């Protein structure tokens, strides 16, 4: 369980240094395996602007870039990325920077007879779990407001953060959420807890779907479902949400998926969004709340998950179904096609 320290401090009036807090949590039964300092991923990295670019005379795949890193300084950087071009803002690791995610200290160097004073970075080189096809170009990022040239990137990328990486034991499921850890921290430090007030204005009704097996849902279990219409799955999350879940170890996908993951991390409540249109295509039937069900998998039943892996399931695996077609392993992962 990864808990961003800034998120905890929003919920509890913490004055304890993070090292001391980590020790207190470990003594209380929440072992802190490590404290990750994300600032190490981008120390010395600033916003740059590519003023000019020309081909390297000794290497077809390299370009010589003249990069402005403040109002009065242009530095020369040799770059091999295919998408590098003139007139864009980029992330520049200046000499002396240490990129912890790739264990690289940046130095001025000579590349095929041309001096290079830094490195133009991709998102993956700054430790983000993305597939990088080249350097990061800020003009291509919809959720980034481009700051002044020379600005350190730590705040822009949400890397001015420390994260508690915690091992939660089976007897403390209350620790599988940021709220749960915040309650524990409040008790340990005797500091005031500020959990947001949740106002539920929705009316609820009990539904009894046709497709349900008693062994799959215990007497005290609860499964709820809500239809939300008019949602665009291509919408990006606000920057603060995507940063927060990334720092908690979850990849940012889009506003719908990120919202479900945010609530799961915050409250420890598994939550998943299905695409209603896709469900109707998959089942070739109209879908409403009564279409959903819960049952155990049939031994050897195949399930293609969101990670694109095909799993052969055992009969003790609980499934969420739509018209009896499996669409999720309950509380774990959704199906790729839904």
């Amino acid at each position: 369980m990864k808990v961003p320290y800034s998120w905890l401090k929003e919920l509890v009036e913490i004055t304890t240094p993070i090292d001391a807090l980590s020790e207190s949590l470990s003594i209380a039964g929440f072992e802190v395996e490590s404290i990750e300092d994300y600032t190490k991923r981008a120390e010395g990295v600033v916003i740059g602007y590519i003023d000019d670019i020309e081909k390297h005379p000794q290497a077809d795949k390299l370009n010589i870039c003249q990069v402005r890193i403040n109002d009065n300084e242009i530095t020369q950087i040799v770059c091999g990325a295919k998408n590098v071009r003139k007139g864009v803002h980029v992330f520049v690791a200046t000499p002396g920077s240490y990129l912890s995610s790739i264990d690289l200290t940046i130095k001025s160097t000579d590349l095929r007879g041309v001096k290079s004073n830094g490195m133009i970075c991709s998102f993956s080189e700054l430790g983000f779990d993305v597939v990088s096809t080249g350097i990061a170009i800020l003009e291509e990022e919809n959720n980034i407001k481009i700051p002044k040239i020379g600005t350190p990137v730590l705040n822009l990328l949400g890397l001015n953060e420390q994260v508690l990486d915690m091992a939660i034991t089976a007897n403390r499921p209350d620790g599988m959420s940021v709220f749960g850890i915040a309650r524990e921290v409040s008790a340990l430090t005797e500091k005031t807890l500020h959990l947001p007030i949740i106002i539920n204005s929705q009316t609820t009704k009990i539904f009894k779907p046709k497709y349900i097996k008693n062994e799959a849902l215990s007497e005290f279990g609860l499964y709820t479902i809500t239809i939300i219409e008019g949602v665009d799955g291509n919408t990006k999350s606000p920057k603060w949400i995507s940063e927060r879940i990334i720092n908690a170890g979850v990849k940012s996908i889009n506003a719908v998926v990120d919202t479900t993951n945010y609530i799961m991390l915050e409250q420890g409540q598994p939550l998943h969004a299905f695409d209603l249109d896709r469900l109707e295509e998959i089942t070739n039937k109209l879908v409403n709340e009564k279409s959903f069900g819960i049952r155990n998998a049939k031994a050897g039943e195949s399930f293609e998950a969101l990670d694109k892996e095909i799993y052969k399931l055992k009969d003790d695996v609980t499934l969420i179904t739509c018209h009896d077609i499996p669409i999720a392993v309950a509380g774990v992962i959704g199906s790729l096609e839904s």
Side-chain angles (χ1 to χ4, degrees), residues 297-303 311-315 317 319 326 329:
K298 301 163 188 172
E301 188 170 10
S302 293
F303 180 80
Y311 297 92
K312 294 291 184 183
L313 304 177
K314 297 180 180 180
D315 59 8
V317 173
L319 296 175
V329 175

Side-chain angles (χ1 to χ4, degrees), residues 49-56 60-67 77-92 119-121 133-137 140:
Y49 180 82
I50 301 178
D51 266 354
D52 201 5
I53 186 171
E54 61 179 298
K55 285 290 184 183
H56 193 296
D60 292 339
K61 294 183 179 180
L62 297 179
N63 293 285
I64 304 170
C65 305
Q66 305 302 323
V67 185
I77 299 175
V78 177
C79 179
K82 292 181 179 179
N83 64 333
V84 66
R85 66 179 188 267
K86 177 182 176 180
V88 294
H89 291 80
V90 292
F91 301 135
V92 178
M119 175 178 167
I120 303 174
C121 300
T133 56
I135 59 169
I137 294 176
E140 297 175 357

Side-chain angles (χ1 to χ4, degrees), residues 97-169:
S97 304
Y98 174 66
L99 306 181
S100 63
S101 60
I102 56 174
D103 191 21
L104 179 66
T105 299
I106 305 301
K107 301 176 182 178
S108 294
T109 188
D110 187 287
L111 292 173
R112 300 279 188 92
V114 176
K115 192 76 170 177
S116 183
N117 299 307
M119 175 178 167
I120 303 174
C121 300
S122 66
F123 279 108
S124 62
E125 287 162 340
L126 298 180
F128 290 93
D129 185 15
V130 297
V131 177
S132 295
T133 56
I135 59 169
I137 294 176
L138 273 64
E139 280 79 0
E140 297 175 357
E141 301 299 320
N142 295 329
N143 61 343
I144 288 182
K145 184 178 179 181
I146 300 173
K148 183 181 177 182
I149 294 169
T151 303
V153 304
L154 290 175
N155 287 330
L156 176 70
L157 297 178
L159 294 177
N160 198 4
E161 180 69 272
Q162 293 173 298
V163 176
L164 295 162
D165 192 354
M166 307 177 68
I168 309 300
T169 53

Side-chain angles (χ1 to χ4, degrees), residues 126-230:
L126 298 180
F128 290 93
D129 185 15
V130 297
V131 177
S132 295
T133 56
I135 59 169
I137 294 176
L138 273 64
E139 280 79 0
E140 297 175 357
E141 301 299 320
N142 295 329
N143 61 343
I144 288 182
K145 184 178 179 181
I146 300 173
K148 183 181 177 182
I149 294 169
T151 303
V153 304
L154 290 175
N155 287 330
L156 176 70
L157 297 178
L159 294 177
N160 198 4
E161 180 69 272
Q162 293 173 298
V163 176
L164 295 162
D165 192 354
M166 307 177 68
I168 309 300
T169 53
N171 65 321
R172 292 301 303 269
D174 56 303
M176 291 295 293
S177 69
V178 178
F179 277 11
I181 299 300
R183 291 189 185 97
E184 188 74 15
V185 169
S186 175
L188 290 170
T189 61
E190 299 184 347
K191 297 295 182 181
T192 305
L193 183 66
H194 298 287
L195 298 185
I197 296 172
I198 299 173
I199 300 173
N200 183 9
S201 60
Q202 301 297 314
T203 56
T204 59
K205 61 180 180 179
I206 294 174
F207 73 98
K208 296 182 178 180
K210 174 182 176 183
Y211 307 99
I212 189 165
K213 300 292 186 293
N214 290 334
E215 74 274 10
L217 186 65
S218 70
E219 180 183 356
F220 302 105
L222 179 68
Y223 183 76
T224 65
I225 193 159
T226 302
I227 293 176
I228 305 174
E229 297 180 311

